[in-house]
Amino acid sequence: MSVKIDCSGATDTGRVRKNNQDQFLIAELKKSMLVQACSLPLEQQSRLFGNAQGHLLLVADGMGGHAAGERASELAVDYMIQRLLNSVHWFFRLEDDVEKDFLLHLQNLLQEAHQRILDDGVVNVENRGMGTTLTMAYAIWPRLYVVHAGDTRCYLIRDGQAECMTRDHTLARQLVESGGMRPEEEAESRWSNVLWNVLGGHGDGDITVEVSKATLQVGDAIMLCSDGLYRYLDEPAIADIVSRASSAAAACDELIRLANLRGGEDNITAVVGRYPRPLEASDLDDDFVAAPRDPSDEDTKPQGG
C-alpha cells in the first residue's frame, strides 16, 4: 500500500534574534538509473526515476556565539545530505531482519556529523564550541523512524492529539526525570535552555543518539520543530493547527505566526508531513486560521514552503 504525503517546511528568524541558526531539510528518496547508452530513443546520460520510496524530514538548531551556531547547523545538514546520498541503499532495505542495522546506521550518521563539527572547530578556532541539535525522521509507509540529539522535537499527531516522540536533552528534563524538579516547573526553569547532549559543542567523545519508531496510519501527521516553536505552543495547540490546516504549508505558516505572536524570542522552524484521509464534503477547503489575527501583530513572513 502506498499513501501520499503532503510535506512542507518553514523557518523564521523571530522577533528578537538578528540571524537564523535553524536549518531544515525535506527530501524525497527515489531509486534511479543513469542511462549511459541505449538503442532506444533515450538521451545519453539521462536519469530515470522510480516511485518515491520514502521521505526524510530534518530540523537542526545551532548554538554558538556570533555566526558559529549557524555554521554548526549548516555543517550538520550538509554532512547528512552528503552521507545520505552515498548510503541511500540502506533506506530501501527495511526488511525486519536488517532494521536493527539500519537504525545503527542512522545513529552512526549523527555521530559522524558530530565529529565533523568538532573537526571544523579545531581548524576555525573562533567557532570552537559551536554545536547543534538534530532531529531526523524517515517515513517509509507505514514505518516511521526518528533519530535525535538535543532539544528539537518530533511529534506524531493522530486523532487530534500530538505525542512527542523525542526527549529533550536538557538539564531541566534530567531533573524532572530524577525527581529533582516538578514537571510544571520545567518550562520556566533556568536549566531548560542548558543542553547536555548536542552535535559538536565542548565535548570530545561520542554523543547520545536516541532512536524511536512508530507505525503510521492514514490521517496521521508528523511535525518536527525547534524550541522556538514549542515554547509557545503546547501539544493540544500543535495538534489542532496541524490537523485542521488545509495543507502542510498552511500548518507551518500558522504555527510560526502564532509562535511569533506569543513572543518570538528565538528562531522558529516547523516541518510538517501529513498523510491525509480522502476529503469529505464536510472538510475545510479554505486555509485554516487558528485564531483571529491581532491588529497589533507585526507582519511576519516565514521563509520556506
Side-chain angles (χ1 to χ4, degrees), residues 191-206:
W191 305 114
S192 64
N193 291 320
V194 181
L195 293 167
W196 59 267
N197 185 51
V198 294
L199 279 67
H202 293 283
D204 55 4
D206 290 342

Side-chain angles (χ1 to χ4, degrees), residues 132-133 148-151 169 195-199 206-210:
T132 184
T133 69
H148 162 76
D151 67 347
H169 296 160
L195 293 167
W196 59 267
N197 185 51
V198 294
L199 279 67
D206 290 342
I207 57 169
T208 298
V209 181
E210 294 191 349

Side-chain angles (χ1 to χ4, degrees), residues 164-184:
C164 187
M165 295 184 64
T166 51
R167 182 171 66 101
D168 295 345
H169 296 160
T170 63
L171 293 185
R173 172 48 43 179
Q174 282 188 326
L175 287 170
V176 170
E177 292 174 348
S178 66
M181 179 186 295
R182 294 192 298 270
E184 58 270 22

Side-chain angles (χ1 to χ4, degrees), residues 15 257-258 260-262 293-300:
R15 295 186 164 184
R257 187 188 74 83
L258 283 179
N260 269 318
L261 182 62
R262 297 176 181 180
R293 186 178 291 275
D294 188 330
S296 65
D297 181 24
E298 297 177 12
D299 187 26
T300 57

Side-chain angles (χ1 to χ4, degrees), residues 222-250:
I222 310 160
M223 199 276 280
L224 280 67
C225 66
S226 58
D227 63 339
L229 191 148
Y230 66 74
R231 290 186 185 279
Y232 299 104
L233 297 173
D234 59 14
E235 292 181 359
I238 289 171
D240 186 55
I241 292 169
V242 174
S243 299
R244 295 179 58 197
S246 61
S247 65

Side-chain angles (χ1 to χ4, degrees), residues 29-293:
L29 301 185
K30 294 183 178 181
K31 292 183 178 180
S32 68
M33 176 175 62
L34 180 63
V35 179
Q36 295 185 342
C38 183
S39 60
L40 296 175
L42 295 174
E43 292 184 9
Q44 289 190 10
Q45 301 298 321
S46 62
R47 188 174 293 275
L48 306 179
F49 292 91
N51 293 329
Q53 299 296 309
H55 288 80
L56 278 168
L57 311 176
L58 186 155
V59 169
D61 180 359
M63 60 206 69
H66 303 291
E70 186 174 357
R71 177 161 178 78
S73 58
E74 286 178 351
L75 283 170
V77 174
D78 182 68
Y79 185 82
M80 294 297 288
I81 291 173
Q82 293 180 39
R83 293 289 288 116
L84 290 167
L85 284 172
N86 293 322
S87 61
V88 72
H89 63 281
W90 271 106
F91 294 83
F92 306 134
R93 297 174 51 205
L94 282 183
E95 297 82 5
D96 291 338
D97 59 337
V98 298
E99 183 182 69
K100 182 178 180 181
D101 291 337
F102 170 70
L103 294 176
L104 180 61
H105 174 69
L106 293 182
Q107 291 176 296
N108 288 338
L109 287 180
L110 266 68
Q111 293 282 1
E112 293 168 9
H114 166 64
Q115 189 60 51
R116 173 72 180 86
I117 295 170
L118 291 177
D119 292 345
D120 189 85
V122 173
V123 176
N124 301 291
V125 180
E126 69 278 9
N127 293 332
R128 187 169 297 173
M130 64 181 174
T132 184
T133 69
L134 195 149
T135 300
M136 183 175 73
Y138 177 57
I140 180 166
W141 185 264
R143 304 180 184 184
L144 173 65
Y145 302 94
V146 179
V147 289
H148 162 76
D151 67 347
T152 38
R153 291 182 179 179
C154 177
Y155 292 90
L156 175 62
I157 299 159
R158 174 178 296 167
D159 297 328
Q161 295 187 331
E163 175 188 358
C164 187
M165 295 184 64
T166 51
R167 182 171 66 101
D168 295 345
H169 296 160
T170 63
L171 293 185
R173 172 48 43 179
Q174 282 188 326
L175 287 170
V176 170
E177 292 174 348
S178 66
M181 179 186 295
R182 294 192 298 270
E184 58 270 22
E185 298 174 335
E186 181 179 3
E188 301 300 324
S189 168
R190 61 175 177 162
W191 305 114
S192 64
N193 291 320
V194 181
L195 293 167
W196 59 267
N197 185 51
V198 294
L199 279 67
H202 293 283
D204 55 4
D206 290 342
I207 57 169
T208 298
V209 181
E210 294 191 349
V211 175
S212 57
K213 57 183 181 177
T215 301
L216 295 165
Q217 300 177 9
V218 175
D220 284 353
I222 310 160
M223 199 276 280
L224 280 67
C225 66
S226 58
D227 63 339
L229 191 148
Y230 66 74
R231 290 186 185 279
Y232 299 104
L233 297 173
D234 59 14
E235 292 181 359
I238 289 171
D240 186 55
I241 292 169
V242 174
S243 299
R244 295 179 58 197
S246 61
S247 65
C252 290
D253 288 347
E254 180 65 5
L255 289 164
I256 291 177
R257 187 188 74 83
L258 283 179
N260 269 318
L261 182 62
R262 297 176 181 180
E265 294 182 1
D266 200 351
N267 306 147
I268 310 164
T269 298
V271 171
V272 173
R274 305 196 315 173
Y275 294 91
R277 294 184 178 90
L279 291 177
E280 299 178 358
S282 59
D283 290 331
L284 294 174
D285 51 15
D286 295 325
D287 283 356
F288 167 67
V289 178
R293 186 178 291 275

